[in-house]
């Protein structure tokens, strides 16, 4: 069964507001600051590990030859950096248990 709901940054800020008693604007600023810090680290080539949640990993993919599925023509695919997410075992266990 697949969920169609999405947790937004505004909902995260609202949860911080309720649990910690910070103002809504302070809570949203905190969420934005955390996301900005993660984004900066990733753009600087660092992996981001959040204990008990997971790891955002950067991987450099080399150049390779792809094929246009419509025409069958071979096309070079340029090297690029991609980001992947690996969930921690704790997160996997919580998801499987729900």
């Amino acid at each position: 069964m697949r969920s169609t709901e999405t947790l937004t940054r505004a909902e995260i800020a609202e949860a911080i507001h309720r649990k910690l008693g910070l103002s809504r604007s302070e809570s949203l600023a905190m969420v934005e600051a955390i996301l900005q810090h993660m984004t900066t680290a990733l753009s600087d080539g660092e992996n981001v590990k959040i204990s008990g949640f997971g790891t955002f990993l950067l991987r450099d993919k080399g150049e390779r030859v792809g094929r246009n599925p419509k025409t069958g023509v071979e096309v070079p695919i340029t090297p690029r950096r991609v980001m992947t997410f690996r969930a921690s075992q704790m997160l996997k266990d919580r998801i499987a248990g729900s």
Side-chain angles (χ1 to χ4, degrees), residues 2-98:
R2 195 166 263 225
S3 173
T4 58
E5 296 195 27
T6 303
L7 179 64
T8 65
R9 60 179 70 195
E11 290 170 331
I12 295 170
E14 182 63 27
I16 291 171
H17 163 70
R18 283 193 313 271
K19 290 191 180 206
L20 300 181
L22 298 175
S23 72
R24 283 187 170 82
S25 61
E26 288 174 327
S27 299
L28 187 57
M30 180 184 291
V31 171
E32 294 296 335
I34 292 168
L35 293 175
Q36 181 61 46
H37 192 66
M38 290 172 61
T39 302
T40 301
L42 288 165
S43 65
D44 289 345
E46 298 177 51
N47 293 327
V48 175
K49 182 175 184 174
I50 302 171
S51 182
F53 183 73
T55 305
F56 295 90
L57 297 165
L58 295 173
R59 217 174 99 214
D60 290 317
K61 296 181 102 177
E63 184 172 353
R64 62 188 173 94
V65 177
R67 190 176 305 274
N68 182 327
K70 196 169 195 177
T71 64
V73 175
E74 288 187 352
V75 180
I77 298 174
T78 58
R80 63 195 187 283
R81 177 172 279 173
V82 296
M83 184 190 70
T84 60
F85 176 75
R86 292 198 54 199
S88 71
Q89 191 60 50
M90 185 183 300
L91 179 60
K92 289 178 186 178
D93 292 344
R94 288 193 68 175
I95 291 170
S98 58

